Amino acid sequence: MEYKSKIKDDLTDQLFQAILSLKDIEECYRFFEDICTINEIKSLAQRLQVAIMLKDKKTYQEIVEETGASTATISRVNRSLIYGADGYKIVFERICR
């Protein structure tokens, strides 16, 4: 079954094409520092770390202590892991070997 995104539109396609054009981590740093605030980048990085820890069966308390994430953020990430579009799963398969 084909995936149907809730956020798909021409502007989002353009953003994702820009991201896919980046060649290495340095280019990612350069682009994301221009397009996002430091807090936005840190928030995205924190959510990924929370997702990895949830995948590794860490408790909410362990995650709060290690990442500083709120329980609301942890719950939101957990919902995405369970009911989301499997984006985290795709990334885990590629970076968590």
Side-chain angles (χ1 to χ4, degrees):
M1 187 168 134
E2 185 178 333
Y3 172 68
K4 180 73 172 160
S5 174
K6 299 175 197 121
I7 61 169
K8 184 167 179 44
D9 62 25
D10 290 342
L11 291 177
T12 307
D13 283 354
Q14 181 177 317
L15 171 64
F16 292 158
Q17 286 298 326
I19 293 168
L20 289 169
S21 77
L22 300 170
K23 292 180 177 66
D24 56 32
I25 288 179
E26 182 181 336
E27 287 186 4
C28 287
Y29 273 100
R30 289 171 177 260
F31 180 70
F32 280 92
E33 284 184 33
D34 284 349
I35 200 166
C36 296
T37 66
I38 292 170
N39 286 339
E40 289 168 335
I41 296 166
K42 296 291 186 185
S43 177
L44 293 171
Q46 182 187 63
R47 288 180 193 171
L48 179 57
Q49 183 60 31
V50 166
I52 291 167
M53 293 179 78
L54 286 168
K55 175 187 75 66
D56 292 341
K57 307 292 187 215
K58 301 292 184 181
T59 67
Y60 274 37
Q61 189 57 40
E62 289 172 314
I63 296 169
V64 166
E65 289 172 6
E66 187 171 324
T67 67
S70 68
T71 57
T73 295
I74 298 167
S75 293
R76 181 177 183 200
V77 171
N78 196 45
R79 276 192 308 277
S80 292
L81 288 170
I82 297 168
Y83 303 111
D86 289 333
Y88 283 118
K89 180 180 175 186
I90 292 166
V91 168
F92 293 161
E93 289 172 355
R94 295 179 185 163
I95 70 166
C96 297
R97 297 190 187 260

